[in-house]
Amino acid sequence: MLFGIAVYPKEAGSNGMLWGETVRLYLYVPDMERDLDAHAEMMKDEGVGRWLPKGAGYTREETERFIRYFMKHWQEFGYGAWAVYSKQTGQFLGHCGLNVVQDMGVTEVLYAFSKEARGKGYCTEAASAALDWAFGDLGLDTVIGLAKQGNEPSTAVMKRLGMTYQSSFEWRGMHAVRYEINRTTYTQK
């Protein structure tokens, strides 16, 4: 456990509520009204978009569908990705959390952060909280990380989390890499 989660609300599927917090971050269940504008601004950035399967930033409408997917995921699985905000400034920083990759039958840790939030350790902090939750309360045995080949910042986060490289493959129209960590390895860190 690198950062830990300070709050575990029992009604964690309620949209828009504070789900938990880390040392520097608030983790919210996604909410369209609160998150759409800032999320759309981040997702249209080519620094984010080039690493998405389509290779370009999202339109506002695509971002809205993306947030709706996150909200539905929470309802369907009881866990998902968070909207991540700074405790210090209240600013939206990005999203991070857990996602069931249905075509693989596994859960991944996923993340994307705004240009202003990169390089400050927020991603590793939030992703560590996601793994704490995955291997703690959720009792998952394995979590994977997926990234477009060449996305060194993303794979660097996976390595800091203790994930190890598994394979390179074609997935959803892109050259991808897969990293993985299991509960035993994570809890021994």
Side-chain angles (χ1 to χ4, degrees):
M1 181 176 343
L2 296 176
F3 297 97
I5 299 172
V7 179
Y8 284 92
K10 297 301 177 202
E11 58 283 350
S14 303
N15 288 341
M17 66 171 272
L18 178 62
W19 186 91
E21 61 185 271
T22 66
V23 173
R24 301 179 298 162
L25 307 172
Y26 287 124
L27 310 170
Y28 289 94
V29 174
D31 176 77
M32 194 65 69
E33 187 174 323
R34 183 196 58 231
D35 303 327
L36 179 58
D37 291 340
H39 213 139
E41 191 64 29
M42 178 190 79
M43 294 299 284
K44 77 178 184 182
D45 175 24
E46 288 307 313
V48 172
R50 71 180 174 174
W51 303 116
L52 299 172
K54 80 177 215 172
Y58 281 4
T59 65
R60 183 176 180 84
E61 294 75 26
E62 288 171 321
T63 301
E64 187 173 341
R65 283 195 300 274
F66 196 62
I67 294 171
R68 286 197 194 289
Y69 168 80
F70 282 164
M71 293 165 65
K72 181 180 176 198
H73 191 283
W74 273 95
Q75 292 171 349
E76 188 173 337
F77 296 100
Y79 64 90
W82 303 299
V84 179
Y85 285 78
S86 166
K87 282 179 152 179
Q88 183 178 11
T89 66
Q91 175 184 11
F92 173 84
L93 301 174
H95 66 254
C96 182
L98 301 171
N99 177 57
V100 175
V101 184
Q102 293 191 17
D103 55 342
M104 293 183 187
V106 294
T107 297
E108 70 171 324
V109 60
L110 62 78
Y111 40 80
F113 281 78
S114 67
K115 185 180 346 183
E116 299 78 25
R118 293 180 210 141
K120 298 179 175 144
Y122 296 134
C123 186
T124 302
E125 186 170 334
S128 177
L131 291 182
D132 289 350
W133 183 32
F135 295 129
D137 284 5
L138 295 177
L140 299 180
D141 291 322
T142 302
V143 174
I144 67 166
L146 298 168
K148 191 177 260 188
Q149 206 161 31
N151 187 344
E152 295 304 322
S154 185
T155 56
V157 169
M158 292 181 218
K159 291 173 186 175
R160 281 193 295 276
L161 294 170
M163 300 179 104
T164 56
Y165 172 82
Q166 298 297 305
S167 63
S168 297
F169 60 103
E170 288 296 315
W171 181 66
R172 297 185 182 174
M174 65 180 181
H175 302 293
V177 293
R178 175 181 169 151
Y179 281 69
E180 185 174 298
I181 191 165
N182 63 44
R183 183 181 332 154
T184 302
T185 301
Y186 188 72
T187 55
Q188 290 177 350
K189 290 183 0 160

